[in-house]
Amino acid sequence: IAMTINKLIIKGDAISSGGGRNYLTVYKAGASFSDPSVVIEGIVNGMQLYSKPQGSSTTPNYLQVGGVSGSGSLNREAPATYGKANGVSYYILTNNSDATSTQSFFEKNGSIWTDQSGVMCYIMNGTANQTFTADTAFLHGGMKVVSGGMFVNFNQNAGNYTYNDSANNTVTFFTQNGGTTRAQFSHGDLEMGVAISGLTSAGAEAVFGSAAGDNTYGSFRFTNIVYASGTIKLRLNSATQMDTLDLTSYAKFNSSDSSWEDVAGGTLKFADGVAEGTQVKFDFGDNLAWLIGDDVESVKVISWDADKKTSLVAEDFTANLFEGEDGLSYMAEFTVGDDGLYVKYVVVPEPAEVACLIGFGALAFAALRRRRK
């Protein structure tokens, strides 16, 4: 189905039993987050929904969807001429009930998968959860979680991210050179609880994490993480079953001149205007006994390059407590390293110990002040 109209509103679900592609070329003058061109109040199910820009237009496209389930998917396709269109397709997810999509989602330019013809961005702004379980997520315009939960498969299949052009060059998100994976792909920025002009928060806590399941553990790549509020859920169930985030640099094949280019990594930072005392909040699950003990080493949960080391310090992070089988409570102890953020769990100090530590801290501060006079 191809439609070129000014605005589309579907009051219920958008369901297709036969699958297939459904292209939406919808441009409303003055469209915005508060007044999108497409509004589907219900669930997209069994339908491959595409935002398709017109010609060489760089105008953003705004599409609001009440959730995606089953084999439903939200995609972007540019015109077939390579490199012809740019801009952003914004999908605003307003789930009021949990939904899970098993279908891959992607950005596409004709028969070439590339990031040179515009991007797609998912924005979660609901009161429930949206989950994507597929191991192929061609999205590099970023994910913004304003309210509600967004969960994705962290175990992305590198083999699904390749495409050979007519000269047999592998030109896409995961690219290969001589049979060895050389380049990887960033999904853009992860923004947690960051206000978006023109978009009113649905009021639920912002949550981002990996989809449940034994085959969903992995390292999901973003360029930057920008934090204002909410919870980042990473399962730390064992050394071989854990979720991590990757912000490091990578190499990418440039199909225009058949060269390799280095793409800079990013960092973890607070959003502008965040209140003093804000902490980045994590939930690491409840299988944390393996991270307890004096001889246990911390594990890295976020990777970055040394030259992009976050300016945040250990006290800027917090996480869920863990109740051990020994009856003691354990808390997360963070370390900010040159190459990433590390965590392990330590016993929560008794009140008397805390008072003692505070006392020692006050004495040390007083002594430091005296030395500075």
Side-chain angles (χ1 to χ4, degrees):
I1 300 173
M3 293 178 284
T4 303
I5 58 179
N6 184 259
K7 181 158 185 171
L8 173 66
I9 300 176
I10 297 177
K11 303 299 282 186
D13 297 334
I15 299 175
S16 171
S17 60
R21 298 180 182 179
N22 298 271
Y23 293 98
L24 294 176
T25 306
V26 182
Y27 288 96
K28 178 183 181 298
S32 64
F33 290 112
S34 60
D35 188 15
S37 300
V38 175
V39 177
I40 300 175
E41 296 181 356
I43 298 293
V44 173
N45 189 348
M47 178 183 294
Q48 298 177 39
L49 189 62
Y50 283 77
S51 164
K52 187 164 185 174
Q54 288 181 310
S56 58
S57 173
T58 61
T59 303
N61 204 2
Y62 301 89
L63 305 95
Q64 179 179 309
V65 178
V68 196
S69 66
S71 58
S73 63
L74 307 177
N75 311 286
R76 171 190 167 92
E77 180 166 349
T81 303
Y82 175 74
K84 188 175 181 180
N86 291 292
V88 182
S89 293
Y90 292 103
Y91 279 103
I92 308 160
L93 293 149
T94 58
N95 298 51
N96 57 25
S97 61
D98 293 348
T100 298
S101 168
T102 60
Q103 184 72 26
S104 301
F105 53 89
F106 44 80
E107 302 152 350
K108 181 181 180 183
N109 186 349
S111 60
I112 300 175
W113 312 89
T114 177
D115 62 355
Q116 297 180 23
S117 58
V119 299
M120 181 170 65
C121 175
Y122 281 180
I123 301 172
M124 188 66 204
N125 190 35
T127 56
N129 299 325
Q130 176 64 55
T131 301
F132 298 98
T133 61
D135 62 0
T136 308
F138 295 125
L139 177 150
H140 64 279
M143 294 183 171
K144 307 176 191 291
V145 188
V146 179
S147 60
M150 181 178 289
F151 299 91
V152 298
N153 187 342
F154 276 30
N155 186 19
Q156 292 292 296
N157 186 338
N160 293 344
Y161 284 70
T162 59
Y163 171 84
N164 290 335
D165 65 10
S166 58
N168 204 34
N169 293 314
T170 307
V171 297
T172 56
F173 301 137
F174 278 95
T175 55
Q176 296 182 343
N177 184 16
T180 302
T181 299
R182 171 156 181 198
Q184 298 187 56
F185 165 71
S186 171
H187 296 90
D189 289 354
L190 171 64
E191 298 183 20
M192 291 293 301
V194 177
I196 298 175
S197 178
L199 192 64
T200 302
S201 170
E205 181 190 19
V207 181
F208 174 81
S210 70
D214 292 339
N215 296 320
T216 61
Y217 297 98
S219 185
F220 204 74
R221 180 185 291 275
F222 288 106
T223 302
N224 297 289
I225 298 175
V226 183
Y227 183 90
S229 64
T231 300
I232 299 175
K233 288 192 172 185
L234 302 177
R235 298 166 300 169
L236 303 184
N237 291 338
S238 71
T240 58
Q241 290 187 315
M242 60 182 291
D243 302 321
T244 64
L245 295 170
D246 190 350
L247 309 179
T248 59
S249 60
Y250 56 98
K252 184 176 69 173
F253 189 83
N254 188 336
S255 60
S256 62
D257 60 4
S258 299
S259 65
W260 288 93
E261 59 181 291
D262 293 325
V263 181
T267 192
L268 167 62
K269 57 188 176 183
F270 285 128
D272 294 339
V274 168
E276 185 176 352
T278 297
Q279 293 177 295
V280 180
K281 180 183 175 184
F282 290 91
D283 184 337
F284 295 125
D286 55 8
N287 294 319
L288 299 167
W290 66 287
L291 285 176
I292 292 172
D294 294 337
D295 58 344
V296 172
E297 295 185 358
S298 300
V299 296
K300 185 162 61 172
V301 292
I302 301 180
S303 299
W304 52 65
D305 297 321
D307 64 337
K308 295 294 182 67
K309 179 181 177 180
T310 183
S311 61
L312 276 58
V313 297
E315 290 72 23
D316 290 323
F317 301 94
T318 187
N320 60 302
L321 296 176
F322 170 67
E323 302 297 325
E325 293 183 356
D326 54 10
L328 298 176
S329 294
Y330 293 83
M331 60 185 288
E333 180 181 79
F334 290 94
T335 302
V336 177
D338 289 339
D339 63 343
L341 179 68
Y342 291 78
V343 70
K344 64 179 291 186
Y345 269 72
V346 298
V347 175
V348 175
E350 295 291 337
E353 295 179 59
V354 173
C356 183
L357 290 172
I358 293 174
F360 277 124
L363 290 172
F365 180 71
L368 179 60
R369 290 189 62 188
R370 286 195 297 270
R371 286 199 300 271
R372 290 179 175 174
K373 289 182 177 179

